[in-house]
Amino acid sequence: ELQQKVEETEVLKMELQMLETERVRLSLVEEKLWDVLQLLQQLRDLNISKRALGKILLSTLESCRDPQPGKAQLFKVLDTLQQELTACELLHKQPLEQAQSPRSLSNPLVISC
């Protein structure tokens, strides 16, 4: 009976370790998602075109074509998307009009390019 309790304890320890590993992995995925969403928000604020955003997404998916086992593929896609968004030129340069003087648009539906 004591041996059985020891074995059950070992099994529970292994399960706990697996849960902790999964928690850490999910935490990393959450951080990566948060970063990607912040970059997307910045690009939206800069009025990036849907076409340019589509090119970034397609480029990301194209570079992640080689299938990897399950969860590794998800993290690779997120990581690559973050790198693609971070490398976006729009995030690194301030539009000339905004640098000179901020202006309000008469029609809020008009997007300044």
Side-chain angles (χ1 to χ4, degrees):
E1 192 174 309
L2 184 60
Q3 180 64 26
Q4 185 181 7
K5 292 289 184 188
V6 168
E7 289 173 4
E8 287 176 6
T9 303
E10 289 300 317
V11 168
L12 288 173
K13 282 181 181 178
M14 285 184 358
E15 288 178 2
L16 183 62
Q17 186 177 13
M18 289 180 358
L19 284 172
E20 181 62 22
T21 301
E22 184 68 8
R23 186 193 66 76
V24 169
R25 189 192 67 77
L26 286 173
S27 178
L28 292 173
V29 169
E30 180 184 29
E31 286 178 26
K32 190 65 67 174
L33 273 172
W34 183 253
D35 292 343
V36 166
L37 290 173
Q38 285 181 319
L39 290 168
L40 287 170
Q41 179 69 41
Q42 289 174 10
L43 288 172
R44 189 191 78 173
D45 292 344
L46 293 172
N47 296 323
I48 187 172
S49 71
K50 291 178 183 178
R51 183 180 200 142
L53 191 56
K55 285 181 180 181
I56 291 170
L57 183 58
L58 288 175
S59 172
T60 297
L61 295 174
E62 185 65 30
S63 66
C64 296
R65 261 190 129 153
D66 299 331
Q68 294 182 357
K71 297 172 184 176
Q73 179 71 14
L74 170 69
F75 199 76
K76 180 180 179 187
V77 170
L78 277 174
D79 192 47
T80 304
L81 181 57
Q82 181 190 22
Q83 291 171 10
E84 292 278 340
L85 291 170
T86 301
C88 183
E89 293 177 9
L90 288 174
L91 290 174
H92 300 290
K93 64 180 182 181
Q94 190 177 22
L96 187 59
E97 292 175 4
Q98 287 181 357
Q100 291 174 349
S101 67
R103 63 184 176 108
S104 62
L105 298 173
S106 58
N107 183 346
L109 297 177
V110 175
I111 297 174
S112 173
C113 293

